[in-house]
Amino acid sequence: MAETTLMEKLVSLCKRRGFVFQSSEIYGGLGSVWDYGPLGVELKKNVKDRWWRAMVHARDDIEGLDAAILMHPRVWEASGHVAGFTDPLIDCRTCKARFRADKLQDAQCPQKPSKHPGEHSTCDLTEPRMFNLMFKTFMGPVEEQAAVIYLRPETAQGIYVNYQNVLNSSRQRIPFGIAQIGKAFRNEITPGNFIFRTREFEQMEMQFFVKPGSDDEWFERWREWRLAWHHSIGLTPARLRWHQHGPGELAHYAKAAYDIEYEFPFGWNEIEGIHNRSDFDLGRHQEYSGKKLEYFDQAANERYLPFIVETSAGADRVALTLLADAYREETVEGETRVVLGFHPSIAPIKTAVLPLVKKDGMPELAERIYHDLKRQFPCFYDDSGAIGRRYRRMDEAGTPFCCTVDGDTLKDGTLTVRERDAMTQVRVHQDQLLTYIRERVA
Ligand code: GAP
């Protein structure tokens, strides 16, 4: 399958089956902003739930937080975003298009025939200018400089400014972490590749506060745990790799950084960053706020500014990774079968309940079973069309199990449970069905 075709097929499946729609589509869409449909919202929720479970519920040393998107504007001065969260931009005075100066060779001039910016005789490019990626808005009724605030470009800062609140209100001692899932906004110049790089997205970030000197060790632990998490949600290990940031690549706050990259149809790209942020963040917030943010270690009777190890993943990017990883086409009995082979815990719908035919009381029984299962996890009832077609529809939605009510169900109470990947079928009694499915989709 040609790689570009795979992305086109994914985008089309996502729209057709209700995973992802273009924002404001009836008005022509809004650039690089996407909406999640009924299946997409379940998929992304499952990603976030799995992350929250692994990072917060399964651990004693991490607390959750939900900080506001809007923050004091000084936060972004302290973080370095006002001065440094910029891309170099070039404008074309002829066609009015705007390009990233460091990505000209990847960009297309809108004039025909298709060429890179600057290659047409009529191209008239400006010198590069720095452009801040933060979205600005105004707080209160007056649109003046003093009222400017920003939509957060990362969730991390909400954690740093609450670090003492969490410490004082929980029973945590260093080392400990704070985890948060939430929206972030970046006025990206070259967004694209569907939901890979968007202007509004969700981050799943965790900041782990450690004693200086133990940071390298914690950094390595977190690298190992985060890669294991990506394996646990079913991503193909061979399509994941590490990318270490070289000295020229390191962000202003980072002492060391690694990305977890996935081999997308459009190449290897970052899905999560693990950073050793040293004491940069707390040091800057201490300086800009004038509030002491040191930690007092009672046992050792010493004060220090904690170092921070950060793990930062995009929920949308992980959702796209799961979609790309799960998509496959197979030929079955001369026909193409499209399957989203999601790990069952990630699948938006866990099971479908299907009456074999629309008579003999089968729909009534199937509906009763469907309503029982639906109380426990997302299910789908479908009685329209041939059974083979209904299976295919569920394969394409990534549903791991289909339970069919047939003639034998009416006699002995057993249903056919068909598994999505191997298409094997077993018979399960309706009394054991809930346990059978639940054990396999957790
Ligand atoms: N707090 C550190 C931080 O924000 P980052 O590498 O800029 O680091 C972390 O972002 C993660 O957030 C990325 O690995 C990616 O998954 C996600 N992300 C960043 N920008 C994004 C965008 N424009 N669209 C979708 N996801 C994005």
Side-chain angles (χ1 to χ4, degrees):
M1 201 184 309
E3 300 299 27
T4 47
T5 322
L6 171 57
M7 273 315 282
E8 283 162 15
K9 285 178 178 174
L10 256 189
V11 174
S12 140
L13 182 144
C14 280
K15 177 163 185 198
R16 186 160 33 86
R17 296 311 311 261
F19 281 94
V20 180
F21 309 126
Q22 199 183 5
S23 162
S24 323
E25 193 183 339
I26 58 168
Y27 289 96
L30 182 66
S32 290
V33 185
W34 298 89
D35 299 339
Y36 286 79
L39 294 191
V41 74
E42 293 292 337
L43 174 70
K44 190 150 80 129
K45 185 177 174 299
N46 291 340
V47 170
K48 292 186 283 182
D49 286 351
R50 285 290 308 254
W51 187 88
W52 195 259
R53 223 191 298 157
M55 301 298 270
V56 182
H57 291 171
R59 299 186 64 109
D60 291 328
D61 57 358
I62 298 187
E63 302 289 338
L65 180 77
D66 183 9
I69 287 170
L70 302 178
M71 301 181 74
H72 195 289
R74 289 278 283 167
V75 167
W76 306 110
E77 290 172 31
S79 69
H81 283 84
V82 170
F85 196 50
T86 49
D87 276 343
L89 277 194
I90 283 180
D91 288 300
C92 178
R93 296 185 188 93
T94 310
C95 68
K96 311 292 180 221
R98 188 165 258 199
F99 311 100
R100 258 181 72 166
D102 54 341
K103 295 268 164 71
L104 278 189
Q105 280 314 303
D106 301 336
Q108 293 298 321
C109 173
Q111 299 185 74
K112 296 284 177 258
S114 179
K115 287 186 180 181
H116 297 304
E119 291 179 353
H120 283 284
S121 57
T122 49
C123 288
D124 183 8
L125 302 182
T126 63
E127 287 301 304
R129 282 176 298 185
M130 296 314 272
F131 172 80
N132 197 293
L133 301 186
M134 283 194 294
F135 279 97
K136 270 186 198 171
T137 187
F138 298 95
M139 184 89 136
V142 188
E143 294 191 5
E144 59 182 15
Q145 188 54 32
V148 164
I149 55 163
Y150 303 95
L151 301 189
R152 66 182 176 198
E154 61 171 13
T155 61
Q157 301 301 325
I159 295 183
Y160 307 141
V161 300
N162 276 296
Y163 137 82
Q164 276 194 333
N165 285 333
V166 175
L167 196 57
N168 295 339
S169 58
S170 65
R171 297 180 64 88
Q172 296 293 349
R173 293 286 166 263
I174 278 178
F176 83 105
I178 304 176
Q180 161 160 245
I181 298 177
K183 290 266 185 172
F185 303 82
R186 295 183 188 175
N187 200 357
E188 300 276 7
I189 309 310
T190 49
N193 285 325
F194 194 31
I195 53 172
F196 178 80
R197 180 169 287 110
T198 55
R199 295 194 165 108
E200 174 177 344
F201 54 98
E202 259 182 300
Q203 287 188 312
M204 308 183 290
E205 295 201 302
M206 192 283 304
Q207 314 294 324
F208 206 76
F209 300 84
V210 304
K211 186 173 178 175
S214 67
D215 49 308
D216 291 339
E217 207 179 304
W218 279 107
F219 183 63
E220 288 308 318
R221 276 188 206 142
W222 275 109
R223 281 184 54 201
E224 192 186 313
W225 288 331
R226 291 309 304 149
L227 184 63
W229 182 80
H230 289 280
H231 292 164
S232 79
I233 58 171
L235 292 179
T236 307
R239 291 215 175 117
L240 291 166
R241 74 174 187 194
W242 287 108
H243 166 73
Q244 181 177 14
H245 286 214
E249 260 179 297
L250 280 178
H252 59 279
Y253 50 74
K255 178 181 156 192
Y258 276 84
D259 294 337
I260 297 176
E261 292 188 337
Y262 179 79
E263 190 179 19
F264 287 99
F266 45 88
W268 286 95
N269 274 286
E270 170 189 348
I271 54 174
E272 169 156 1
I274 291 106
H275 310 124
N276 182 341
R277 300 184 64 126
S278 70
D279 59 359
F280 175 85
D281 305 285
L282 292 184
R284 293 277 288 199
H285 285 302
Q286 182 165 269
E287 183 191 335
Y288 278 68
S289 69
K291 298 278 181 326
K292 278 252 167 281
L293 296 177
E294 284 175 332
Y295 176 77
F296 179 61
D297 184 339
Q298 278 179 330
N301 195 27
E302 59 176 326
R303 280 181 198 283
Y304 56 80
L305 211 50
F307 270 40
I308 292 171
V309 174
E310 167 183 68
T311 73
S312 174
D316 312 82
R317 230 175 247 192
V318 173
L320 176 64
T321 313
L322 287 161
L323 283 161
D325 203 60
Y327 186 94
R328 63 174 195 266
E329 290 175 10
E330 298 168 355
T331 305
V332 178
E333 291 162 10
E335 278 191 24
T336 304
R337 169 173 108 111
V338 175
V339 188
L340 285 179
F342 293 129
H343 187 281
S345 70
I346 290 298
I349 302 170
K350 305 302 182 194
T351 189
V353 184
L354 320 168
L356 184 63
V357 289
K358 266 205 251 187
K359 58 181 187 186
D360 301 334
M362 288 185 212
E364 292 75 11
L365 178 56
E367 271 198 76
R368 274 205 302 281
I369 294 171
Y370 159 73
H371 283 295
D372 280 351
L373 295 180
K374 195 172 156 59
R375 277 202 285 272
Q376 306 296 323
F377 36 70
C379 291
F380 190 75
Y381 175 83
D382 188 4
D383 61 11
S384 62
I387 192 72
R389 291 240 161 277
R390 282 182 270 164
Y391 285 154
R392 295 287 179 272
R393 284 204 284 265
M394 286 296 106
D395 293 341
E396 209 184 40
T399 306
F401 298 101
C402 287
C403 307
T404 305
V405 171
D406 55 20
D408 286 343
T409 318
L410 306 175
K411 287 186 227 142
D412 63 10
T414 64
L415 291 88
T416 300
V417 179
R418 174 211 185 246
E419 196 271 334
R420 176 197 62 209
D421 296 326
M423 294 184 284
T424 46
Q425 302 193 352
V426 292
R427 291 206 70 90
V428 179
H429 195 276
Q430 66 184 85
D431 295 346
Q432 269 101 52
L433 194 60
L434 176 60
T435 315
Y436 182 91
I437 305 283
R438 197 164 42 199
E439 277 172 359
R440 286 161 178 79
V441 300

